[in-house]
Amino acid sequence: MTTTGEDHARALTGPWWWARWRSAVLDGSVALASAAECGAEGIPFARDAGVPVWAGIVFGTVAGSVLLLRRKWPIAVVLVAIAITPAQMGFLLSVVGLYTLAACELPRRLLAALAGMSLLGTAVVTFVRVRQDMARGDLTLGDWFLPFAAVTTALGLTAPPLLLGLYVGARRRLMESLRERADSLERELQLLAERAEERAEWARNEERTRIAREMHDVVAHRVSLMVVHAAALQAVARKDPEKAVRNAALVGDMGRQALTELREMLGVLRAGEGVVRRAASVSSLAAVGEAAAAAASRVAEAEGAVEGPCLSELEELVGQSAAAGMVVDLSVQGEVRSYAAEVEQTAYRVVQEALTNVHKHAAGAKTYVRLAHRVSEIAMQVENEPPPEPASASAGLPSGGNGLVGMRERVAALGGVFVSGPTDAGGFRVSAVIPAV
């Protein structure tokens, strides 16, 4: 099979113009047989031409050896075969030369011209030779045999190698096309695999971000309230034992709620972990896709099985902050109705994180929570007044700086609008609008 470009350069392992040593040995053997044939046929040619026998043998041997160049210069081989046809030599040279010429990627016009010249030369030489034999009395057939013998011999020596060469050349080009198509398909598959790996890495990063955001929302609020209640418990432990007991109970409830939500999240993660590991061990691309789809569906089912927070729990959330000593005013406008789970969870998390930030940065400040049910959207706003100066540092809660970023990402993921910033009065306001559909 012929190759081109860089592949062809790598494929050249034989001497000179041969791609392989096997091809060089084959051409050498065929050229040696052709030289022996033409050398033997040079003896009667020398006698008929009136030249020394050794000259006819040398001429025939050199002419037959031209077949060694059939892969590099096939046209020259065919021209030499046509040139020595009147000398009644070069049978193997003509047959192999025509086959090689037809198998090469040459213009059809050139191939037809050379084949026609070879056919015509063979027919003329055969006609003359048969006529001479009939004139000497070696053949006693009628005159009809002359054109029949000329045409039959010419077609028999020209058509089979020509047709075989055309078939081999077409098959060679087809195989080369299939090889190039297979290489192209392999490159496309490799590119798809790289893109799939990039998408998988992007999905892993998105999942890490989502888990980090969820963990932050779950843990930060509960732990912040636990710290506030613990500080209050420390302050009133000796003065008001009953209040200290209530604060201790609240701290325990907060801790249990935080642990429950963390267990639910870890359960969701472990539900898809086994399927993802099995998908990673599969080598087939189709099997990997099926396993990944199964993993995604199972994780989605597991997430659906875990009930997240909803707007009906908003009063309880505000009550927990009020129990921790915060003055919270909750107002709801519009007709209360249910929304999609993602919308209610996002709205709940926005209010939860805003209240957590008030505990962290403005302890003791009065806070207003407003929720508005509109026709095609739901709006929420959490605004706090400036904190009292002594209470601003009493809680001592650390801040990671991810709360506002997480709220903005949650709202933007649903196509909503999120705005936050300080107020003119010295407080802070968090506002969000989420489409209802």
Side-chain angles (χ1 to χ4, degrees), residues 26-73:
L26 176 62
D27 288 356
S29 302
V30 175
L32 184 62
S34 177
E37 178 206 351
C38 292
E41 292 172 345
I43 297 175
F45 168 72
R47 291 173 181 174
D48 296 339
V51 298
V53 176
W54 65 266
I57 296 175
V58 171
F59 173 75
T61 303
V62 173
S65 301
V66 176
L67 195 59
L68 190 67
L69 308 175
R70 72 182 187 93
R71 296 181 188 267
K72 192 168 182 64
W73 294 299

Side-chain angles (χ1 to χ4, degrees), residues 17 69-70 119 175 191 197 227 274 276 308 381 395:
W17 56 83
L69 308 175
R70 72 182 187 93
L119 178 67
M175 296 300 294
L191 181 60
E197 185 177 355
V227 172
V276 173
Q381 178 178 296

Side-chain angles (χ1 to χ4, degrees), residues 248-266:
L250 289 174
V251 171
D253 292 339
M254 295 295 176
R256 282 188 291 271
Q257 292 176 3
L259 289 175
T260 300
E261 294 186 6
L262 287 176
R263 288 194 188 99
E264 291 176 351
M265 292 183 59
L266 293 177

